[in-house]
Amino acid sequence: MPASFMLTSGFVLLLILLAFTGYALAVRRGRNADLLAGVQVLQAGKILLVHLQQHRGLSAAYLTGNEEVYPEIETLQEQISMDILQTSSLSHWLDTNEDWQGVSRHWASLSVKAFTISSEGSFDQHSRLIASLLSILDDVAIRYGLYSNSRFADVRLVWQEFLTIGELIGQVRALGVEILNSGGNHGRGKQIATVKKNMGKIQDLLNHSACRRILDSNQKESLAVFLSYVDSQVVEGRGPVSAMEFFGTATGAMNLVIEQFECEMLKLHRQVTGR
């Protein structure tokens, strides 16, 4: 076989190998870009989620007689509208998603009647809106490949659980503020039942293996103390504690799990980038 033919064949094979290698690298870069985009949208969605939860809690205070929180609610309304725009800008897929557009319309409607709706109606509308947002964040993770990669299976489980725990605490915070601002739990059987139900769900999630493994002993103790605090101050009505004191304590518990969510997002970012 002529040496020139062998050299030519070897060169062609090398070109084919380089082409396949380049294609594989391009595919990998594309997948990583999608994964990072998904992480960005999840982080932006978390910011929107926290602000909506704050708006729900402060609205509960205002609608049960605390007019001092009015300026804070106004500021939050502007921030939430900005959050929605900023989150939309991160993803064309999200921006054109019908469910996301429904969240935007729902918020536009709720913000208009935020100061005139009943406290019960406010809680219901906020909670429905937040449930829709959490569902969309799950869709985002699917769309950007965060669930299809086996490397991230554990992270998937945990970040979902932390946002869920945060929302359950957020509901307890809003209902606790409403109950305490209204003079105690007398005549608030429906709200008390929801608080107790949420406390049970929180405890169940904290008992999941991933949460037990990731949360340290101080975090676990802090959340256990918070649940006891809710039981004594809201469910049993032992007091004395003001509605806004309760709001602050519940916010501390929420921050604990949201900060852990941030840790999981950072871990996910490092896994994607290899840093």
Side-chain angles (χ1 to χ4, degrees), residues 153-185:
D154 189 53
V155 176
R156 168 191 180 181
L157 173 69
V158 177
W159 76 255
Q160 285 181 314
E161 290 192 351
F162 286 136
L163 288 189
T164 301
I165 293 170
E167 169 53 10
L168 290 169
I169 296 174
Q171 290 183 20
V172 168
R173 178 176 67 179
L175 291 171
V177 166
E178 182 180 336
I179 292 165
L180 293 169
N181 228 28
S182 301
N185 57 15

PDB file of all heavy atoms in Angstrom, residues 153-185:
ATOM      1  N   ALA A 153     -29.615  14.371  40.449  1.00  0.00           N
ATOM      2  CA  ALA A 153     -30.838  13.806  41.027  1.00  0.00           C
ATOM      3  C   ALA A 153     -31.020  14.208  42.486  1.00  0.00           C
ATOM      4  O   ALA A 153     -32.117  14.587  42.913  1.00  0.00           O
ATOM      5  CB  ALA A 153     -30.811  12.284  40.901  1.00  0.00           C
ATOM      6  N   ASP A 154     -29.959  14.150  43.266  1.00  0.00           N
ATOM      7  CA  ASP A 154     -30.066  14.473  44.687  1.00  0.00           C
ATOM      8  C   ASP A 154     -30.344  15.959  44.884  1.00  0.00           C
ATOM      9  O   ASP A 154     -31.154  16.348  45.726  1.00  0.00           O
ATOM     10  CB  ASP A 154     -28.787  14.094  45.419  1.00  0.00           C
ATOM     11  CG  ASP A 154     -28.926  14.217  46.923  1.00  0.00           C
ATOM     12  OD1 ASP A 154     -29.870  13.630  47.476  1.00  0.00           O
ATOM     13  OD2 ASP A 154     -28.109  14.908  47.542  1.00  0.00           O
ATOM     14  N   VAL A 155     -29.684  16.788  44.087  1.00  0.00           N
ATOM     15  CA  VAL A 155     -29.916  18.230  44.174  1.00  0.00           C
ATOM     16  C   VAL A 155     -31.364  18.561  43.847  1.00  0.00           C
ATOM     17  O   VAL A 155     -31.995  19.382  44.494  1.00  0.00           O
ATOM     18  CB  VAL A 155     -28.961  18.987  43.224  1.00  0.00           C
ATOM     19  CG1 VAL A 155     -29.261  20.479  43.236  1.00  0.00           C
ATOM     20  CG2 VAL A 155     -27.516  18.761  43.635  1.00  0.00           C
ATOM     21  N   ARG A 156     -31.898  17.866  42.846  1.00  0.00           N
ATOM     22  CA  ARG A 156     -33.295  18.093  42.460  1.00  0.00           C
ATOM     23  C   ARG A 156     -34.225  17.889  43.647  1.00  0.00           C
ATOM     24  O   ARG A 156     -35.062  18.716  43.944  1.00  0.00           O
ATOM     25  CB  ARG A 156     -33.678  17.122  41.338  1.00  0.00           C
ATOM     26  CG  ARG A 156     -35.189  17.073  41.076  1.00  0.00           C
ATOM     27  CD  ARG A 156     -35.559  15.921  40.158  1.00  0.00           C
ATOM     28  NE  ARG A 156     -36.997  15.903  39.916  1.00  0.00           N
ATOM     29  CZ  ARG A 156     -37.612  15.006  39.165  1.00  0.00           C
ATOM     30  NH1 ARG A 156     -36.921  14.052  38.587  1.00  0.00           N
ATOM     31  NH2 ARG A 156     -38.911  15.055  38.987  1.00  0.00           N
ATOM     32  N   LEU A 157     -34.047  16.767  44.306  1.00  0.00           N
ATOM     33  CA  LEU A 157     -34.902  16.434  45.439  1.00  0.00           C
ATOM     34  C   LEU A 157     -34.843  17.516  46.506  1.00  0.00           C
ATOM     35  O   LEU A 157     -35.862  17.982  47.006  1.00  0.00           O
ATOM     36  CB  LEU A 157     -34.475  15.086  46.024  1.00  0.00           C
ATOM     37  CG  LEU A 157     -35.158  14.672  47.331  1.00  0.00           C
ATOM     38  CD1 LEU A 157     -36.611  14.349  47.073  1.00  0.00           C
ATOM     39  CD2 LEU A 157     -34.450  13.474  47.942  1.00  0.00           C
ATOM     40  N   VAL A 158     -33.633  17.946  46.814  1.00  0.00           N
ATOM     41  CA  VAL A 158     -33.457  18.828  47.957  1.00  0.00           C
ATOM     42  C   VAL A 158     -33.933  20.254  47.683  1.00  0.00           C
ATOM     43  O   VAL A 158     -34.603  20.850  48.515  1.00  0.00           O
ATOM     44  CB  VAL A 158     -31.986  18.815  48.420  1.00  0.00           C
ATOM     45  CG1 VAL A 158     -31.784  19.794  49.559  1.00  0.00           C
ATOM     46  CG2 VAL A 158     -31.602  17.413  48.877  1.00  0.00           C
ATOM     47  N   TRP A 159     -33.602  20.818  46.518  1.00  0.00           N
ATOM     48  CA  TRP A 159     -34.033  22.207  46.310  1.00  0.00           C
ATOM     49  C   TRP A 159     -35.547  22.300  46.267  1.00  0.00           C
ATOM     50  O   TRP A 159     -36.134  23.273  46.754  1.00  0.00           O
ATOM     51  CB  TRP A 159     -33.364  22.829  45.087  1.00  0.00           C
ATOM     52  CG  TRP A 159     -33.860  22.450  43.719  1.00  0.00           C
ATOM     53  CD1 TRP A 159     -33.243  21.619  42.837  1.00  0.00           C
ATOM     54  CD2 TRP A 159     -35.043  22.918  43.061  1.00  0.00           C
ATOM     55  NE1 TRP A 159     -33.976  21.525  41.679  1.00  0.00           N
ATOM     56  CE2 TRP A 159     -35.081  22.319  41.785  1.00  0.00           C
ATOM     57  CE3 TRP A 159     -36.077  23.775  43.415  1.00  0.00           C
ATOM     58  CZ2 TRP A 159     -36.107  22.544  40.863  1.00  0.00           C
ATOM     59  CZ3 TRP A 159     -37.105  24.004  42.498  1.00  0.00           C
ATOM     60  CH2 TRP A 159     -37.108  23.395  41.245  1.00  0.00           C
ATOM     61  N   GLN A 160     -36.200  21.304  45.703  1.00  0.00           N
ATOM     62  CA  GLN A 160     -37.665  21.306  45.693  1.00  0.00           C
ATOM     63  C   GLN A 160     -38.214  21.274  47.116  1.00  0.00           C
ATOM     64  O   GLN A 160     -39.159  21.990  47.450  1.00  0.00           O
ATOM     65  CB  GLN A 160     -38.185  20.102  44.917  1.00  0.00           C
ATOM     66  CG  GLN A 160     -38.052  20.212  43.417  1.00  0.00           C
ATOM     67  CD  GLN A 160     -38.619  18.981  42.734  1.00  0.00           C
ATOM     68  OE1 GLN A 160     -38.347  17.848  43.134  1.00  0.00           O
ATOM     69  NE2 GLN A 160     -39.401  19.197  41.707  1.00  0.00           N
ATOM     70  N   GLU A 161     -37.626  20.433  47.940  1.00  0.00           N
ATOM     71  CA  GLU A 161     -38.125  20.293  49.307  1.00  0.00           C
ATOM     72  C   GLU A 161     -37.914  21.567  50.109  1.00  0.00           C
ATOM     73  O   GLU A 161     -38.782  21.964  50.887  1.00  0.00           O
ATOM     74  CB  GLU A 161     -37.448  19.105  49.991  1.00  0.00           C
ATOM     75  CG  GLU A 161     -37.898  17.771  49.418  1.00  0.00           C
ATOM     76  CD  GLU A 161     -37.471  16.589  50.261  1.00  0.00           C
ATOM     77  OE1 GLU A 161     -36.677  16.775  51.197  1.00  0.00           O
ATOM     78  OE2 GLU A 161     -37.932  15.473  49.973  1.00  0.00           O
ATOM     79  N   PHE A 162     -36.787  22.245  49.913  1.00  0.00           N
ATOM     80  CA  PHE A 162     -36.541  23.465  50.673  1.00  0.00           C
ATOM     81  C   PHE A 162     -37.518  24.580  50.276  1.00  0.00           C
ATOM     82  O   PHE A 162     -37.992  25.324  51.127  1.00  0.00           O
ATOM     83  CB  PHE A 162     -35.095  23.923  50.514  1.00  0.00           C
ATOM     84  CG  PHE A 162     -34.124  23.077  51.293  1.00  0.00           C
ATOM     85  CD1 PHE A 162     -32.935  22.655  50.727  1.00  0.00           C
ATOM     86  CD2 PHE A 162     -34.406  22.684  52.585  1.00  0.00           C
ATOM     87  CE1 PHE A 162     -32.045  21.864  51.443  1.00  0.00           C
ATOM     88  CE2 PHE A 162     -33.533  21.888  53.313  1.00  0.00           C
ATOM     89  CZ  PHE A 162     -32.339  21.480  52.743  1.00  0.00           C
ATOM     90  N   LEU A 163     -37.805  24.706  48.977  1.00  0.00           N
ATOM     91  CA  LEU A 163     -38.787  25.714  48.567  1.00  0.00           C
ATOM     92  C   LEU A 163     -40.173  25.364  49.096  1.00  0.00           C
ATOM     93  O   LEU A 163     -40.942  26.253  49.468  1.00  0.00           O
ATOM     94  CB  LEU A 163     -38.810  25.853  47.042  1.00  0.00           C
ATOM     95  CG  LEU A 163     -37.621  26.532  46.378  1.00  0.00           C
ATOM     96  CD1 LEU A 163     -37.916  26.792  44.898  1.00  0.00           C
ATOM     97  CD2 LEU A 163     -37.248  27.842  47.066  1.00  0.00           C
ATOM     98  N   THR A 164     -40.483  24.082  49.117  1.00  0.00           N
ATOM     99  CA  THR A 164     -41.787  23.655  49.641  1.00  0.00           C
ATOM    100  C   THR A 164     -41.896  23.941  51.138  1.00  0.00           C
ATOM    101  O   THR A 164     -42.923  24.453  51.613  1.00  0.00           O
ATOM    102  CB  THR A 164     -42.004  22.153  49.379  1.00  0.00           C
ATOM    103  OG1 THR A 164     -41.947  21.909  47.969  1.00  0.00           O
ATOM    104  CG2 THR A 164     -43.361  21.700  49.913  1.00  0.00           C
ATOM    105  N   ILE A 165     -40.848  23.615  51.885  1.00  0.00           N
ATOM    106  CA  ILE A 165     -40.846  23.917  53.322  1.00  0.00           C
ATOM    107  C   ILE A 165     -40.977  25.425  53.540  1.00  0.00           C
ATOM    108  O   ILE A 165     -41.738  25.876  54.399  1.00  0.00           O
ATOM    109  CB  ILE A 165     -39.563  23.394  53.994  1.00  0.00           C
ATOM    110  CG1 ILE A 165     -39.536  21.855  53.979  1.00  0.00           C
ATOM    111  CG2 ILE A 165     -39.459  23.890  55.439  1.00  0.00           C
ATOM    112  CD1 ILE A 165     -38.207  21.260  54.401  1.00  0.00           C
ATOM    113  N   GLY A 166     -40.234  26.204  52.744  1.00  0.00           N
ATOM    114  CA  GLY A 166     -40.322  27.658  52.865  1.00  0.00           C
ATOM    115  C   GLY A 166     -41.729  28.173  52.635  1.00  0.00           C
ATOM    116  O   GLY A 166     -42.195  29.056  53.348  1.00  0.00           O
ATOM    117  N   GLU A 167     -42.427  27.596  51.655  1.00  0.00           N
ATOM    118  CA  GLU A 167     -43.791  28.038  51.380  1.00  0.00           C
ATOM    119  C   GLU A 167     -44.749  27.624  52.494  1.00  0.00           C
ATOM    120  O   GLU A 167     -45.646  28.398  52.874  1.00  0.00           O
ATOM    121  CB  GLU A 167     -44.263  27.490  50.036  1.00  0.00           C
ATOM    122  CG  GLU A 167     -45.744  27.657  49.737  1.00  0.00           C
ATOM    123  CD  GLU A 167     -46.279  29.082  49.878  1.00  0.00           C
ATOM    124  OE1 GLU A 167     -45.490  30.046  50.032  1.00  0.00           O
ATOM    125  OE2 GLU A 167     -47.513  29.240  49.861  1.00  0.00           O
ATOM    126  N   LEU A 168     -44.571  26.442  53.034  1.00  0.00           N
ATOM    127  CA  LEU A 168     -45.425  26.023  54.151  1.00  0.00           C
ATOM    128  C   LEU A 168     -45.241  26.956  55.356  1.00  0.00           C
ATOM    129  O   LEU A 168     -46.215  27.336  56.013  1.00  0.00           O
ATOM    130  CB  LEU A 168     -45.102  24.580  54.543  1.00  0.00           C
ATOM    131  CG  LEU A 168     -45.518  23.499  53.529  1.00  0.00           C
ATOM    132  CD1 LEU A 168     -44.902  22.159  53.891  1.00  0.00           C
ATOM    133  CD2 LEU A 168     -47.049  23.388  53.462  1.00  0.00           C
ATOM    134  N   ILE A 169     -43.984  27.324  55.622  1.00  0.00           N
ATOM    135  CA  ILE A 169     -43.728  28.289  56.707  1.00  0.00           C
ATOM    136  C   ILE A 169     -44.317  29.645  56.353  1.00  0.00           C
ATOM    137  O   ILE A 169     -44.879  30.336  57.213  1.00  0.00           O
ATOM    138  CB  ILE A 169     -42.218  28.410  56.983  1.00  0.00           C
ATOM    139  CG1 ILE A 169     -41.651  27.077  57.489  1.00  0.00           C
ATOM    140  CG2 ILE A 169     -41.947  29.508  58.022  1.00  0.00           C
ATOM    141  CD1 ILE A 169     -40.139  27.073  57.648  1.00  0.00           C
ATOM    142  N   GLY A 170     -44.216  30.032  55.076  1.00  0.00           N
ATOM    143  CA  GLY A 170     -44.781  31.308  54.640  1.00  0.00           C
ATOM    144  C   GLY A 170     -46.277  31.380  54.862  1.00  0.00           C
ATOM    145  O   GLY A 170     -46.816  32.417  55.261  1.00  0.00           O
ATOM    146  N   GLN A 171     -46.971  30.272  54.611  1.00  0.00           N
ATOM    147  CA  GLN A 171     -48.409  30.244  54.871  1.00  0.00           C
ATOM    148  C   GLN A 171     -48.691  30.365  56.362  1.00  0.00           C
ATOM    149  O   GLN A 171     -49.609  31.088  56.778  1.00  0.00           O
ATOM    150  CB  GLN A 171     -49.007  28.953  54.307  1.00  0.00           C
ATOM    151  CG  GLN A 171     -49.033  28.896  52.791  1.00  0.00           C
ATOM    152  CD  GLN A 171     -49.706  27.642  52.277  1.00  0.00           C
ATOM    153  OE1 GLN A 171     -50.474  26.983  52.991  1.00  0.00           O
ATOM    154  NE2 GLN A 171     -49.432  27.279  51.029  1.00  0.00           N
ATOM    155  N   VAL A 172     -47.898  29.659  57.152  1.00  0.00           N
ATOM    156  CA  VAL A 172     -48.053  29.743  58.618  1.00  0.00           C
ATOM    157  C   VAL A 172     -47.800  31.175  59.076  1.00  0.00           C
ATOM    158  O   VAL A 172     -48.503  31.680  59.963  1.00  0.00           O
ATOM    159  CB  VAL A 172     -47.093  28.755  59.311  1.00  0.00           C
ATOM    160  CG1 VAL A 172     -47.016  29.027  60.812  1.00  0.00           C
ATOM    161  CG2 VAL A 172     -47.535  27.314  59.058  1.00  0.00           C
ATOM    162  N   ARG A 173     -46.808  31.825  58.505  1.00  0.00           N
ATOM    163  CA  ARG A 173     -46.498  33.207  58.878  1.00  0.00           C
ATOM    164  C   ARG A 173     -47.689  34.121  58.615  1.00  0.00           C
ATOM    165  O   ARG A 173     -48.098  34.906  59.488  1.00  0.00           O
ATOM    166  CB  ARG A 173     -45.280  33.704  58.100  1.00  0.00           C
ATOM    167  CG  ARG A 173     -44.914  35.153  58.400  1.00  0.00           C
ATOM    168  CD  ARG A 173     -43.638  35.581  57.679  1.00  0.00           C
ATOM    169  NE  ARG A 173     -43.795  35.622  56.226  1.00  0.00           N
ATOM    170  CZ  ARG A 173     -42.827  35.975  55.382  1.00  0.00           C
ATOM    171  NH1 ARG A 173     -41.629  36.283  55.844  1.00  0.00           N
ATOM    172  NH2 ARG A 173     -43.042  35.988  54.074  1.00  0.00           N
ATOM    173  N   ALA A 174     -48.258  34.028  57.422  1.00  0.00           N
ATOM    174  CA  ALA A 174     -49.385  34.899  57.068  1.00  0.00           C
ATOM    175  C   ALA A 174     -50.602  34.614  57.950  1.00  0.00           C
ATOM    176  O   ALA A 174     -51.256  35.538  58.449  1.00  0.00           O
ATOM    177  CB  ALA A 174     -49.738  34.716  55.599  1.00  0.00           C
ATOM    178  N   LEU A 175     -50.899  33.334  58.158  1.00  0.00           N
ATOM    179  CA  LEU A 175     -52.060  32.980  58.985  1.00  0.00           C
ATOM    180  C   LEU A 175     -51.828  33.360  60.443  1.00  0.00           C
ATOM    181  O   LEU A 175     -52.758  33.821  61.129  1.00  0.00           O
ATOM    182  CB  LEU A 175     -52.344  31.481  58.861  1.00  0.00           C
ATOM    183  CG  LEU A 175     -52.874  31.020  57.505  1.00  0.00           C
ATOM    184  CD1 LEU A 175     -52.902  29.504  57.426  1.00  0.00           C
ATOM    185  CD2 LEU A 175     -54.257  31.600  57.225  1.00  0.00           C
ATOM    186  N   GLY A 176     -50.601  33.176  60.922  1.00  0.00           N
ATOM    187  CA  GLY A 176     -50.291  33.560  62.295  1.00  0.00           C
ATOM    188  C   GLY A 176     -50.450  35.045  62.513  1.00  0.00           C
ATOM    189  O   GLY A 176     -50.991  35.484  63.544  1.00  0.00           O
ATOM    190  N   VAL A 177     -49.993  35.838  61.551  1.00  0.00           N
ATOM    191  CA  VAL A 177     -50.157  37.296  61.634  1.00  0.00           C
ATOM    192  C   VAL A 177     -51.635  37.664  61.669  1.00  0.00           C
ATOM    193  O   VAL A 177     -52.075  38.495  62.468  1.00  0.00           O
ATOM    194  CB  VAL A 177     -49.454  37.977  60.437  1.00  0.00           C
ATOM    195  CG1 VAL A 177     -49.902  39.434  60.301  1.00  0.00           C
ATOM    196  CG2 VAL A 177     -47.934  37.912  60.600  1.00  0.00           C
ATOM    197  N   GLU A 178     -52.408  37.020  60.812  1.00  0.00           N
ATOM    198  CA  GLU A 178     -53.850  37.295  60.765  1.00  0.00           C
ATOM    199  C   GLU A 178     -54.515  36.932  62.092  1.00  0.00           C
ATOM    200  O   GLU A 178     -55.332  37.713  62.619  1.00  0.00           O
ATOM    201  CB  GLU A 178     -54.469  36.486  59.626  1.00  0.00           C
ATOM    202  CG  GLU A 178     -55.956  36.713  59.435  1.00  0.00           C
ATOM    203  CD  GLU A 178     -56.527  35.897  58.298  1.00  0.00           C
ATOM    204  OE1 GLU A 178     -55.767  35.522  57.387  1.00  0.00           O
ATOM    205  OE2 GLU A 178     -57.751  35.633  58.331  1.00  0.00           O
ATOM    206  N   ILE A 179     -54.179  35.788  62.620  1.00  0.00           N
ATOM    207  CA  ILE A 179     -54.776  35.332  63.882  1.00  0.00           C
ATOM    208  C   ILE A 179     -54.393  36.245  65.038  1.00  0.00           C
ATOM    209  O   ILE A 179     -55.251  36.700  65.811  1.00  0.00           O
ATOM    210  CB  ILE A 179     -54.355  33.878  64.169  1.00  0.00           C
ATOM    211  CG1 ILE A 179     -54.999  32.931  63.146  1.00  0.00           C
ATOM    212  CG2 ILE A 179     -54.724  33.469  65.591  1.00  0.00           C
ATOM    213  CD1 ILE A 179     -54.389  31.543  63.115  1.00  0.00           C
ATOM    214  N   LEU A 180     -53.112  36.540  65.171  1.00  0.00           N
ATOM    215  CA  LEU A 180     -52.634  37.368  66.284  1.00  0.00           C
ATOM    216  C   LEU A 180     -53.109  38.806  66.168  1.00  0.00           C
ATOM    217  O   LEU A 180     -53.420  39.454  67.181  1.00  0.00           O
ATOM    218  CB  LEU A 180     -51.104  37.317  66.345  1.00  0.00           C
ATOM    219  CG  LEU A 180     -50.514  35.949  66.719  1.00  0.00           C
ATOM    220  CD1 LEU A 180     -49.014  35.935  66.488  1.00  0.00           C
ATOM    221  CD2 LEU A 180     -50.837  35.609  68.173  1.00  0.00           C
ATOM    222  N   ASN A 181     -53.202  39.311  64.960  1.00  0.00           N
ATOM    223  CA  ASN A 181     -53.649  40.691  64.763  1.00  0.00           C
ATOM    224  C   ASN A 181     -55.140  40.836  65.018  1.00  0.00           C
ATOM    225  O   ASN A 181     -55.636  41.938  65.246  1.00  0.00           O
ATOM    226  CB  ASN A 181     -53.331  41.138  63.335  1.00  0.00           C
ATOM    227  CG  ASN A 181     -52.662  42.500  63.289  1.00  0.00           C
ATOM    228  OD1 ASN A 181     -51.979  42.893  64.227  1.00  0.00           O
ATOM    229  ND2 ASN A 181     -52.862  43.221  62.206  1.00  0.00           N
ATOM    230  N   SER A 182     -55.846  39.684  64.965  1.00  0.00           N
ATOM    231  CA  SER A 182     -57.296  39.708  65.176  1.00  0.00           C
ATOM    232  C   SER A 182     -57.678  39.395  66.613  1.00  0.00           C
ATOM    233  O   SER A 182     -58.858  39.196  66.921  1.00  0.00           O
ATOM    234  CB  SER A 182     -57.972  38.703  64.225  1.00  0.00           C
ATOM    235  OG  SER A 182     -57.681  39.010  62.883  1.00  0.00           O
ATOM    236  N   GLY A 183     -56.678  39.320  67.477  1.00  0.00           N
ATOM    237  CA  GLY A 183     -56.961  39.133  68.898  1.00  0.00           C
ATOM    238  C   GLY A 183     -56.919  37.709  69.376  1.00  0.00           C
ATOM    239  O   GLY A 183     -57.453  37.394  70.457  1.00  0.00           O
ATOM    240  N   GLY A 184     -56.318  36.808  68.620  1.00  0.00           N
ATOM    241  CA  GLY A 184     -56.189  35.427  69.087  1.00  0.00           C
ATOM    242  C   GLY A 184     -56.914  34.440  68.201  1.00  0.00           C
ATOM    243  O   GLY A 184     -57.484  34.796  67.163  1.00  0.00           O
ATOM    244  N   ASN A 185     -56.909  33.181  68.627  1.00  0.00           N
ATOM    245  CA  ASN A 185     -57.431  32.127  67.765  1.00  0.00           C
ATOM    246  C   ASN A 185     -58.935  31.888  67.902  1.00  0.00           C
ATOM    247  O   ASN A 185     -59.483  30.989  67.265  1.00  0.00           O
ATOM    248  CB  ASN A 185     -56.666  30.818  68.012  1.00  0.00           C
ATOM    249  CG  ASN A 185     -56.714  30.384  69.466  1.00  0.00           C
ATOM    250  OD1 ASN A 185     -57.534  30.883  70.229  1.00  0.00           O
ATOM    251  ND2 ASN A 185     -55.840  29.458  69.844  1.00  0.00           N
TER     252      ASN A 185
END
